[in-house]
Amino acid sequence: MSTLATTLKRGLAVGAVALAAVSLQPAGASASPTPVVGGTRAAQGEFPFMVRLSMGCGGALYTQQIVLTAAHCVNGSGNNTSITATAGVVDLQSSSAIKVKSTKVLQAPGYNGQGKDWALIKLAKPINLPTLKIADTKAYDSGTFTVAGWGAAREGGAQQRYLLKATVPFVSDAACQAAYGDSLVPSDEICAGYDQGGTDTCQGDSGGPMFRRDDTNAWIQVGIVSWGEGCARAGYPGVYSEVSTFAADIRNAAAGL
Ligand code: ARG
């Protein structure tokens, strides 16, 4: 993070000079390329449960045949063969990518654009890769989280070919509400990010997991990438669906899919 913050500050300083001369240059256009915002490349196999969805979202293998993603990434519930899940690779263009079509989608019941931002996608066949377990208590809703995705590496930036990862600290509901007011649903959202910004998920990371190590040192999913004001802005943490709130609903929905 400190490396990234330094890089961004340097980038912004250069940008400020450039802006003085070329006032229409988009913010961040001159920032040095940093290999999510402020992330670095994930190693092949590091997060084997990561899935890229063809509508431009992320997801995680909840079971080998069910992907957990965000409700805002799908259009509703029912039979749906239009989505392709790509797994098993950090490089989306790799010839070893595993690609499987969807058969069904289940969008969180009652989803109306605020909160309840989770959905399940059933795949045509199982993918033989490790799954990511979900947190079913609030015990892990604190500390430092890992996020990963193929989304934009800066606000307004392009989708990525290679999976990026970053770590972000937990932000309390009170601090997150101070940023977002009534837009936040504290009972079912969890926030993460640095006060100074610089590291965050961004457009195209939605639906992907936010996770950490549990007491047995296994990865456990505590969040689903949902929304934020821009990306990596100071004072505006990333907002994630709080998986522990929905764990029972997710489990029941998966059992019936
Ligand atoms: N809604 C975005 C998407 O569809 C994710 C935005 C996450 N933003 C953030 N600042 N953490 O990909």
Side-chain angles (χ1 to χ4, degrees), residues 44-45 50 86-98 129 150 163:
Q44 177 59 39
M50 284 295 309
T86 302
V89 288
V90 291
D91 175 4
L92 292 176
Q93 291 174 28
S94 166
S95 56
S96 26
I98 301 168
L129 285 170
W150 290 271
L163 182 65

PDB file of all heavy atoms in Angstrom, residues 44-45 50 86-98 129 150 163:
ATOM      1  N   GLN A  44      -0.723 -17.254 -10.647  1.00  0.00           N
ATOM      2  CA  GLN A  44      -1.564 -18.342 -11.130  1.00  0.00           C
ATOM      3  C   GLN A  44      -1.826 -19.322  -9.975  1.00  0.00           C
ATOM      4  O   GLN A  44      -0.892 -19.738  -9.300  1.00  0.00           O
ATOM      5  CB  GLN A  44      -0.866 -19.058 -12.301  1.00  0.00           C
ATOM      6  CG  GLN A  44      -1.617 -20.250 -12.844  1.00  0.00           C
ATOM      7  CD  GLN A  44      -3.005 -19.879 -13.352  1.00  0.00           C
ATOM      8  OE1 GLN A  44      -3.203 -18.828 -13.960  1.00  0.00           O
ATOM      9  NE2 GLN A  44      -3.983 -20.724 -13.072  1.00  0.00           N
ATOM     10  N   GLY A  45      -3.111 -19.610  -9.719  1.00  0.00           N
ATOM     11  CA  GLY A  45      -3.471 -20.558  -8.670  1.00  0.00           C
ATOM     12  C   GLY A  45      -3.593 -19.961  -7.283  1.00  0.00           C
ATOM     13  O   GLY A  45      -3.972 -20.648  -6.341  1.00  0.00           O
ATOM     14  N   MET A  50     -11.594 -17.825  -7.942  1.00  0.00           N
ATOM     15  CA  MET A  50     -12.005 -16.599  -8.646  1.00  0.00           C
ATOM     16  C   MET A  50     -12.576 -16.906 -10.021  1.00  0.00           C
ATOM     17  O   MET A  50     -11.991 -17.663 -10.783  1.00  0.00           O
ATOM     18  CB  MET A  50     -10.817 -15.657  -8.847  1.00  0.00           C
ATOM     19  CG  MET A  50     -10.365 -14.883  -7.641  1.00  0.00           C
ATOM     20  SD  MET A  50     -11.531 -13.685  -6.968  1.00  0.00           S
ATOM     21  CE  MET A  50     -12.011 -12.729  -8.402  1.00  0.00           C
ATOM     22  N   THR A  86     -15.557 -17.860 -16.641  1.00  0.00           N
ATOM     23  CA  THR A  86     -14.180 -18.242 -16.971  1.00  0.00           C
ATOM     24  C   THR A  86     -13.430 -18.440 -15.659  1.00  0.00           C
ATOM     25  O   THR A  86     -13.466 -17.559 -14.789  1.00  0.00           O
ATOM     26  CB  THR A  86     -13.499 -17.151 -17.820  1.00  0.00           C
ATOM     27  OG1 THR A  86     -14.269 -16.956 -19.010  1.00  0.00           O
ATOM     28  CG2 THR A  86     -12.078 -17.531 -18.199  1.00  0.00           C
ATOM     29  N   ALA A  87     -12.775 -19.568 -15.511  1.00  0.00           N
ATOM     30  CA  ALA A  87     -12.103 -19.899 -14.247  1.00  0.00           C
ATOM     31  C   ALA A  87     -10.781 -20.604 -14.509  1.00  0.00           C
ATOM     32  O   ALA A  87     -10.478 -20.983 -15.640  1.00  0.00           O
ATOM     33  CB  ALA A  87     -13.014 -20.783 -13.393  1.00  0.00           C
ATOM     34  N   GLY A  88     -10.005 -20.727 -13.437  1.00  0.00           N
ATOM     35  CA  GLY A  88      -8.785 -21.527 -13.507  1.00  0.00           C
ATOM     36  C   GLY A  88      -7.563 -20.821 -14.044  1.00  0.00           C
ATOM     37  O   GLY A  88      -6.493 -21.426 -14.174  1.00  0.00           O
ATOM     38  N   VAL A  89      -7.724 -19.531 -14.362  1.00  0.00           N
ATOM     39  CA  VAL A  89      -6.594 -18.782 -14.927  1.00  0.00           C
ATOM     40  C   VAL A  89      -6.567 -17.358 -14.375  1.00  0.00           C
ATOM     41  O   VAL A  89      -7.615 -16.776 -14.095  1.00  0.00           O
ATOM     42  CB  VAL A  89      -6.680 -18.691 -16.474  1.00  0.00           C
ATOM     43  CG1 VAL A  89      -6.384 -20.047 -17.114  1.00  0.00           C
ATOM     44  CG2 VAL A  89      -8.034 -18.171 -16.921  1.00  0.00           C
ATOM     45  N   VAL A  90      -5.376 -16.793 -14.250  1.00  0.00           N
ATOM     46  CA  VAL A  90      -5.292 -15.360 -13.973  1.00  0.00           C
ATOM     47  C   VAL A  90      -5.369 -14.575 -15.282  1.00  0.00           C
ATOM     48  O   VAL A  90      -5.841 -13.443 -15.321  1.00  0.00           O
ATOM     49  CB  VAL A  90      -4.012 -14.975 -13.202  1.00  0.00           C
ATOM     50  CG1 VAL A  90      -4.068 -15.514 -11.782  1.00  0.00           C
ATOM     51  CG2 VAL A  90      -2.753 -15.449 -13.915  1.00  0.00           C
ATOM     52  N   ASP A  91      -4.910 -15.214 -16.391  1.00  0.00           N
ATOM     53  CA  ASP A  91      -4.923 -14.574 -17.716  1.00  0.00           C
ATOM     54  C   ASP A  91      -6.187 -14.994 -18.456  1.00  0.00           C
ATOM     55  O   ASP A  91      -6.329 -16.152 -18.847  1.00  0.00           O
ATOM     56  CB  ASP A  91      -3.674 -15.021 -18.489  1.00  0.00           C
ATOM     57  CG  ASP A  91      -3.649 -14.497 -19.925  1.00  0.00           C
ATOM     58  OD1 ASP A  91      -4.558 -13.732 -20.306  1.00  0.00           O
ATOM     59  OD2 ASP A  91      -2.707 -14.876 -20.652  1.00  0.00           O
ATOM     60  N   LEU A  92      -7.097 -14.049 -18.652  1.00  0.00           N
ATOM     61  CA  LEU A  92      -8.379 -14.381 -19.287  1.00  0.00           C
ATOM     62  C   LEU A  92      -8.183 -14.872 -20.715  1.00  0.00           C
ATOM     63  O   LEU A  92      -9.070 -15.507 -21.274  1.00  0.00           O
ATOM     64  CB  LEU A  92      -9.310 -13.166 -19.272  1.00  0.00           C
ATOM     65  CG  LEU A  92      -9.804 -12.734 -17.889  1.00  0.00           C
ATOM     66  CD1 LEU A  92     -10.640 -11.472 -18.007  1.00  0.00           C
ATOM     67  CD2 LEU A  92     -10.590 -13.863 -17.220  1.00  0.00           C
ATOM     68  N   GLN A  93      -7.030 -14.579 -21.321  1.00  0.00           N
ATOM     69  CA  GLN A  93      -6.801 -15.017 -22.702  1.00  0.00           C
ATOM     70  C   GLN A  93      -6.020 -16.330 -22.775  1.00  0.00           C
ATOM     71  O   GLN A  93      -5.680 -16.799 -23.864  1.00  0.00           O
ATOM     72  CB  GLN A  93      -6.083 -13.910 -23.485  1.00  0.00           C
ATOM     73  CG  GLN A  93      -7.015 -12.718 -23.710  1.00  0.00           C
ATOM     74  CD  GLN A  93      -6.317 -11.532 -24.358  1.00  0.00           C
ATOM     75  OE1 GLN A  93      -5.347 -11.682 -25.098  1.00  0.00           O
ATOM     76  NE2 GLN A  93      -6.810 -10.336 -24.063  1.00  0.00           N
ATOM     77  N   SER A  94      -5.752 -16.917 -21.624  1.00  0.00           N
ATOM     78  CA  SER A  94      -4.997 -18.175 -21.601  1.00  0.00           C
ATOM     79  C   SER A  94      -5.772 -19.292 -22.296  1.00  0.00           C
ATOM     80  O   SER A  94      -6.984 -19.405 -22.150  1.00  0.00           O
ATOM     81  CB  SER A  94      -4.721 -18.578 -20.156  1.00  0.00           C
ATOM     82  OG  SER A  94      -4.290 -19.919 -20.107  1.00  0.00           O
ATOM     83  N   SER A  95      -5.034 -20.141 -23.022  1.00  0.00           N
ATOM     84  CA  SER A  95      -5.688 -21.273 -23.690  1.00  0.00           C
ATOM     85  C   SER A  95      -6.095 -22.328 -22.669  1.00  0.00           C
ATOM     86  O   SER A  95      -6.881 -23.216 -22.976  1.00  0.00           O
ATOM     87  CB  SER A  95      -4.747 -21.875 -24.728  1.00  0.00           C
ATOM     88  OG  SER A  95      -3.539 -22.236 -24.101  1.00  0.00           O
ATOM     89  N   SER A  96      -5.599 -22.241 -21.439  1.00  0.00           N
ATOM     90  CA  SER A  96      -6.045 -23.219 -20.438  1.00  0.00           C
ATOM     91  C   SER A  96      -7.239 -22.736 -19.625  1.00  0.00           C
ATOM     92  O   SER A  96      -7.626 -23.398 -18.655  1.00  0.00           O
ATOM     93  CB  SER A  96      -4.888 -23.637 -19.528  1.00  0.00           C
ATOM     94  OG  SER A  96      -3.899 -22.669 -19.437  1.00  0.00           O
ATOM     95  N   ALA A  97      -7.830 -21.620 -20.012  1.00  0.00           N
ATOM     96  CA  ALA A  97      -9.012 -21.133 -19.283  1.00  0.00           C
ATOM     97  C   ALA A  97     -10.135 -22.164 -19.349  1.00  0.00           C
ATOM     98  O   ALA A  97     -10.360 -22.780 -20.382  1.00  0.00           O
ATOM     99  CB  ALA A  97      -9.477 -19.815 -19.888  1.00  0.00           C
ATOM    100  N   ILE A  98     -10.822 -22.330 -18.222  1.00  0.00           N
ATOM    101  CA  ILE A  98     -12.000 -23.202 -18.168  1.00  0.00           C
ATOM    102  C   ILE A  98     -13.209 -22.303 -18.372  1.00  0.00           C
ATOM    103  O   ILE A  98     -13.396 -21.335 -17.622  1.00  0.00           O
ATOM    104  CB  ILE A  98     -12.083 -23.911 -16.794  1.00  0.00           C
ATOM    105  CG1 ILE A  98     -10.824 -24.744 -16.557  1.00  0.00           C
ATOM    106  CG2 ILE A  98     -13.342 -24.758 -16.695  1.00  0.00           C
ATOM    107  CD1 ILE A  98     -10.685 -25.239 -15.113  1.00  0.00           C
ATOM    108  N   LEU A 129     -12.270 -27.108  -9.190  1.00  0.00           N
ATOM    109  CA  LEU A 129     -11.345 -26.174  -8.544  1.00  0.00           C
ATOM    110  C   LEU A 129     -11.810 -25.957  -7.108  1.00  0.00           C
ATOM    111  O   LEU A 129     -12.986 -26.189  -6.800  1.00  0.00           O
ATOM    112  CB  LEU A 129     -11.360 -24.831  -9.282  1.00  0.00           C
ATOM    113  CG  LEU A 129     -10.640 -24.770 -10.631  1.00  0.00           C
ATOM    114  CD1 LEU A 129     -10.955 -23.464 -11.337  1.00  0.00           C
ATOM    115  CD2 LEU A 129      -9.125 -24.933 -10.443  1.00  0.00           C
ATOM    116  N   TRP A 150     -10.775  -8.562 -12.208  1.00  0.00           N
ATOM    117  CA  TRP A 150     -10.293  -8.147 -13.529  1.00  0.00           C
ATOM    118  C   TRP A 150     -10.880  -6.788 -13.909  1.00  0.00           C
ATOM    119  O   TRP A 150     -10.867  -6.398 -15.072  1.00  0.00           O
ATOM    120  CB  TRP A 150     -10.668  -9.194 -14.566  1.00  0.00           C
ATOM    121  CG  TRP A 150      -9.918 -10.492 -14.462  1.00  0.00           C
ATOM    122  CD1 TRP A 150      -8.732 -10.789 -15.075  1.00  0.00           C
ATOM    123  CD2 TRP A 150     -10.300 -11.687 -13.756  1.00  0.00           C
ATOM    124  NE1 TRP A 150      -8.357 -12.089 -14.783  1.00  0.00           N
ATOM    125  CE2 TRP A 150      -9.297 -12.657 -13.977  1.00  0.00           C
ATOM    126  CE3 TRP A 150     -11.390 -12.029 -12.933  1.00  0.00           C
ATOM    127  CZ2 TRP A 150      -9.358 -13.949 -13.422  1.00  0.00           C
ATOM    128  CZ3 TRP A 150     -11.453 -13.290 -12.388  1.00  0.00           C
ATOM    129  CH2 TRP A 150     -10.451 -14.241 -12.627  1.00  0.00           C
ATOM    130  N   LEU A 163      -5.615 -11.009 -13.583  1.00  0.00           N
ATOM    131  CA  LEU A 163      -6.234 -10.824 -12.269  1.00  0.00           C
ATOM    132  C   LEU A 163      -5.347  -9.970 -11.367  1.00  0.00           C
ATOM    133  O   LEU A 163      -4.166 -10.267 -11.198  1.00  0.00           O
ATOM    134  CB  LEU A 163      -6.462 -12.203 -11.623  1.00  0.00           C
ATOM    135  CG  LEU A 163      -7.138 -12.206 -10.254  1.00  0.00           C
ATOM    136  CD1 LEU A 163      -8.567 -11.671 -10.341  1.00  0.00           C
ATOM    137  CD2 LEU A 163      -7.151 -13.632  -9.675  1.00  0.00           C
TER     138      LEU A 163
END
